[in-house]
Amino acid sequence: MRRTLAFLLAFLTLSLINVNSASAEALPGDVLKMPMPGAPAITLPGETIEIQPQEGVDITELTIVSVMNGPYKLEILEKGNIIKAKIPENVVPDVYFLQVKSNKGEVVIPNGVWVLKEYPKVLRIAHVSDTHVTSGTKFGYVCGEYFQRDIKKIQELCDGGLIVPLHSYVATDSAYTYWSMDNRVDVIINTGDVVDTAGDSKGYKMLFDIISRAAATGRPTIIVKGNHDDPPNYYPKLIGPTDYYLTIGKFLIIALDSHGDEAHPYMNQLEWMEKVLEEHPDKIPIVIVHHPYWYSAPQGWIGGRIEGFTAFDDKDWANLTQYVSYYWIGGPEKTTEDIARRFLQDVEKYNIKLVLSGHIHHDKLHIYVDKNGNEHWFVTSTSTGAPDKETNPPRPNRSPTWYGSKIVEIDENGNVRLPEIEEMFGTLFNDFISLPVPQEFITFRWTTDFGSAVKFINLLGEESGKFAIEVPEGAQVDASVTNVTYKLLGERKIGDKTYELFEIVVPEGVSQLVISKGKDTEKPEISIPYLTPSKPMKGKPFKVYISAKDNLGIRDIYVEIEANGKVTKYPAVQSSGGQADYFMAEIPGVDADEYTIRAVAVDFYGNKATFEKTIGGAQTTSKTTSPTESKSTCGPAALLAFSLIPLALLRRRK
């Protein structure tokens, strides 16, 4: 009983760390319906945008600002249920934070207004999905191309390489960072399950910050709600509306809520969509909806081409139902068949060229060719933040997956392409039709009062582009411990955060960018609060919980097990999303009666701290090493070695 109570107390202590106290501060969704962080206003200089305030909200001032441009005050032309505001003629094209003053308070909406120089003839989309950001723990282990949930299996597959426990928050931030740097894309579209639990307000705030950093680089985001975002308590407060549409020049993007366990839109949503399509007959329609429409094709469950049918013919429809996903058609009873059929009829009637989805944590592509010869691409992406349904390599008789995202291109004639996919995989219909982002491009960020730092793990080859980071006032890049190539473009305080915008080149391997107020000579603080179970059994799995803090940030954290004259290293992952003070390492078992558990934390200046716990023998003992044992300073030469040595370990196994 005492052991049980002690475990419950420790569990509750760690759980309560993430509970947010109530705040009277206005949230974006308290003031506006649109635009929002997941649904920006899109315009050109000199054009007029529409602002939809919440009921009872009186907007008194609108301003847009970015790290490099503005602020620009918008002229309010018309008030009412919809406010019309004019973008100044001299606005520099960029992605802007919208600053709103109202009778309900002031709010800052990142990604609020996207101003283009001209509308694109080809829209290049970075498609991410199922990011599952959480303030709790949700992670998998990666090693190059491999993904596993089990530490023992990833160790066997990795064969001495670098094993990285990838938390859903880190994965999501890494993908947004990568696509913000990539000049090949215009916009990031996220097809739902953006947060793992609909009631996780801190999780939504973490995603809000990720969107803010992407906006600071000039990369806009468009989001549709998923079933994990249901019921939409915090989603409309911090992300955006559940059903809406946007136009980007020739392109019309319609977001449809497919709800929670119901897993499909309602008929009244389709009627609304039809009205929008009727009002925009000259546009190329794109639908984003969380649950995928198709399950299989004549070529099999992995996807393929479905052609020679029409949803307007009863016989054809009867044949098509075998390929429609049970999410849309209502399972064996086909209780929502009328909704599924109506949607496909709309796809044909209005020539909807592209439908983007997620949900199944797996890649699928279906190309539906109607009887008029029109192609309609249904692209379903694997999970970007939590591929926890399958593994890679897969279990027997299962299909593999990984953390992924992809580029989807559509031109003004409605032609769709998946660049790089066929080249990489030899086909468009495959278990993998996503790039290994963030599987093989990972960023770990830290921001404190002393400075900000980021660690890059990059297996994709040299990557370059814009990079934004929050920094404390007075911090500067320390070139002696930074080994990415960088150029500071600008700095600005927006709302309560100060952003620095860089042009950076991230080399292949492990590297870091450090922005601090001075040299860091303090080693981290580290301890092992408890194990589960508290007395591990010989050869049985157990977990090591670590408390670790640093004035700048933890670059590396892991556990060493010293047993039978051998030291084995296990990576630790944050036990909560975002910037964590608590970590956890999974140990598959120790085949020894007596051994040492050593928790190790290293900061961005190479200062190292360890904490040891002896298991077995007469009794369990613990100790922290002395400062002289645990402290080392990492100069430029040491840092160069740090960046080069892991490169051999990170090489992709062929």
Side-chain angles (χ1 to χ4, degrees), residues 32-323:
L32 293 187
K33 296 177 182 177
M34 282 187 70
M36 285 284 283
I42 303 168
T43 186
L44 300 179
E47 291 188 339
T48 298
I49 62 171
E50 293 185 347
I51 308 287
Q52 298 180 38
Q54 293 288 359
E55 187 175 349
V57 172
D58 179 34
I59 305 296
T60 57
E61 188 176 300
L62 297 167
T63 306
I64 58 174
V65 65
S66 72
V67 175
M68 299 297 295
N69 299 298
Y72 302 97
K73 189 174 180 179
L74 306 189
E75 181 184 358
I76 298 176
L77 303 175
E78 185 180 314
K79 283 196 172 185
N81 293 333
I82 295 179
I83 294 173
K84 293 187 177 180
K86 190 177 189 302
I87 302 294
E89 297 279 356
N90 64 337
V91 164
V92 178
D94 204 343
V95 176
Y96 286 92
F97 291 69
L98 176 63
Q99 298 174 315
V100 184
K101 292 184 179 180
S102 77
N103 62 331
K104 298 293 185 181
E106 297 184 17
V107 293
V108 176
I109 298 175
N111 191 50
V113 180
W114 178 17
V115 181
L116 295 104
K117 181 179 180 181
E118 59 185 7
Y119 289 120
K121 296 183 181 299
V122 179
L123 186 64
R124 296 176 176 88
I125 299 164
H127 184 195
V128 305
S129 193
D130 295 82
T131 46
H132 288 274
V133 173
T134 177
S135 62
T137 303
K138 192 177 186 75
F139 72 98
Y141 295 102
V142 298
C143 178
E145 295 177 343
Y146 297 123
F147 160 73
Q148 292 285 319
R149 294 187 300 274
D150 184 275
I151 183 64
K152 188 174 182 180
K153 289 181 180 177
I154 197 70
Q155 282 183 314
E156 294 168 355
L157 291 163
C158 200
D159 193 25
L162 182 63
I163 297 171
V164 182
L166 194 51
H167 190 282
S168 67
Y169 167 79
V170 172
T172 303
D173 178 61
S174 302
Y176 271 77
T177 298
Y178 179 86
W179 293 118
S180 296
M181 292 173 60
D182 197 319
N183 291 324
R184 294 174 298 172
V185 302
D186 302 306
V187 61
I188 299 170
I189 293 184
N190 189 329
T191 48
D193 281 1
V194 296
V195 166
D196 197 49
T197 306
D200 186 359
S201 62
K202 185 178 178 182
Y204 281 107
K205 183 59 173 64
M206 290 190 291
L207 180 67
F208 181 91
D209 290 339
I210 290 172
I211 295 169
S212 301
R213 290 191 289 267
T217 69
R219 186 71 67 235
T221 296
I222 297 171
I223 299 177
V224 69
K225 174 182 154 292
N227 60 292
H228 278 248
D229 304 303
D230 197 80
N233 299 320
Y234 294 106
Y235 185 92
K237 297 283 189 182
L238 286 162
I239 307 302
T242 57
D243 295 271
Y244 63 93
Y245 74 91
L246 304 169
T247 60
I248 310 174
K250 186 73 173 177
F251 305 98
L252 170 67
I253 297 178
I254 299 175
L256 291 176
D257 180 10
S258 53
H259 307 286
D261 294 335
E262 292 166 289
H264 55 77
Y266 300 154
M267 189 64 78
N268 65 339
Q269 292 171 270
L270 299 187
E271 292 168 352
W272 166 80
M273 179 182 74
E274 291 161 3
K275 184 174 182 293
V276 171
L277 290 163
E278 294 282 357
E279 293 170 350
H280 299 82
D282 60 334
K283 303 296 185 185
I284 301 295
I286 301 167
V287 172
I288 57 175
V289 59
H290 181 62
H291 291 87
Y293 184 82
W294 301 105
Y295 177 73
S296 62
Q299 296 86 354
W301 78 273
I302 200 63
R305 294 177 70 88
I306 303 172
E307 41 194 334
F309 299 102
T310 174
F312 290 97
D313 182 86
D314 291 343
K315 185 176 179 181
D316 281 355
W317 174 249
N319 283 320
L320 285 168
T321 57
Q322 64 184 307
Y323 306 124

Side-chain angles (χ1 to χ4, degrees), residues 495-572:
D496 62 350
K497 288 186 170 61
T498 299
Y499 297 92
E500 285 190 344
L501 178 62
F502 293 88
E503 187 78 35
I504 64 170
V505 179
V506 180
E508 186 174 4
V510 180
S511 57
Q512 65 184 41
L513 171 66
V514 178
I515 305 161
S516 63
K517 294 181 179 180
K519 299 294 181 185
D520 179 10
T521 58
E522 297 181 26
K523 69 183 181 68
E525 299 174 14
I526 190 168
S527 65
I528 299 176
Y530 67 99
L531 313 175
T532 56
S534 58
K535 293 183 178 180
M537 296 179 64
K538 184 177 180 179
K540 299 294 183 181
F542 64 95
K543 296 178 181 179
V544 179
Y545 286 87
I546 307 164
S547 171
K549 297 181 181 180
D550 188 74
N551 61 326
L552 178 60
I554 305 293
R555 187 188 69 199
D556 300 299
I557 184 164
Y558 53 92
V559 166
E560 293 177 338
I561 302 294
E562 187 171 349
N564 302 320
K566 180 182 177 183
V567 176
T568 307
K569 185 175 175 179
Y570 299 92

Side-chain angles (χ1 to χ4, degrees), residues 317-318 321 328-330 333-342:
W317 174 249
T321 57
W328 279 74
I329 210 164
E333 295 80 16
K334 297 185 178 179
T335 55
T336 56
E337 184 174 354
D338 56 338
I339 293 175
R341 185 174 185 180
R342 178 76 164 265

